[in-house]
Amino acid sequence: METETIAVPWSVIPDYRCFGCSPHNPGGLRLRFTAHPRGLQARFRLGRGFESYPGVVHGGLTGVICDEVMGNLIVIARRRPAFTVSQRTRFVTPLLVDHEYVCVAELSANDSGALIQASAEISDADGALCAGSSATYQPFDFRDVRHQITLDDDEVALLSRALLDPEPTPNGVTS
């Protein structure tokens, strides 16, 4: 049984170009998200276009993938976008080109005030841990960051409406 893909709020903008999750970015990762009992997950397989050493995925992409799944979990569960303030990633083993992996993100139970804490793990097809990451995020309102992001008034309105609906489930994710 295939799990239903969760649409990110950004998908209301017809040509959004997020490197991590947009299907419109030909050079991007094109991650798709599904609900996970702990939060949100993305299954992925990266080809040679994302290689560093022969046969090895560039290590920086490990952090990008974790950040993407954590960040989208926050948007979906908390109904607010958030900028990454800090991120720490621990590499257990390199990710290999053309191998299946899954990244699972969850929110921390001990958020500190206005900041949101999240963590993510990447595992291989056998369930072995390959990397782990933890990050702190600062939520924002689109109207307050207009000088930092290029959204017109109609796009801000679309995104604001998309963040209002639907109601999250106990783990923060709707499926």
Side-chain angles (χ1 to χ4, degrees):
M1 177 175 138
E2 179 150 335
T3 306
E4 187 176 332
T5 300
I6 296 172
V8 294
W10 325 114
S11 63
V12 298
I13 298 175
D15 192 34
Y16 78 107
R17 294 291 180 150
C18 175
F19 176 75
C21 66
S22 175
H24 310 293
N25 186 338
L29 299 171
R30 298 178 181 210
L31 296 175
R32 295 182 340 174
F33 307 103
T34 57
H36 185 276
R38 295 189 336 244
L40 190 67
Q41 70 180 357
R43 295 186 179 281
F44 63 95
R45 172 190 288 258
L46 300 178
R48 293 201 63 205
F50 298 103
E51 186 175 72
S52 62
Y53 293 116
V56 175
V57 173
H58 192 286
L61 293 174
T62 302
V64 169
I65 292 166
C66 289
D67 184 47
E68 187 70 16
V69 182
M70 290 184 289
N72 275 293
L73 173 58
I74 290 167
V75 167
I76 292 165
R78 298 293 172 84
R79 314 313 295 169
R80 293 198 62 197
F83 286 130
T84 310
V85 174
S86 67
Q87 181 178 359
R88 182 177 182 147
T89 302
R90 184 173 73 91
F91 302 90
V92 178
T93 184
L95 302 185
L96 303 178
V97 168
D98 290 324
H99 282 68
E100 295 287 334
Y101 295 96
V102 62
C103 180
V104 176
E106 62 186 309
L107 296 176
S108 173
N110 60 352
D111 288 345
S112 57
L115 300 177
I116 299 173
Q117 310 290 320
S119 61
E121 293 182 344
I122 295 177
S123 301
D124 66 17
D126 295 325
L129 179 67
C130 300
S133 190
S134 59
T136 301
Y137 295 84
Q138 174 68 59
F140 64 86
D141 185 291
F142 290 114
R143 292 177 298 270
D144 297 335
V145 296
R146 294 299 294 273
H147 64 287
Q148 294 171 312
I149 11 184
T150 54
L151 293 172
D152 64 30
D153 291 338
D154 291 339
E155 291 168 331
V156 168
L158 280 171
L159 283 167
S160 296
R161 278 194 301 275
L163 290 170
L164 293 175
D165 192 47
E167 286 296 315
T169 60
N171 70 349
V173 178
T174 57
S175 56

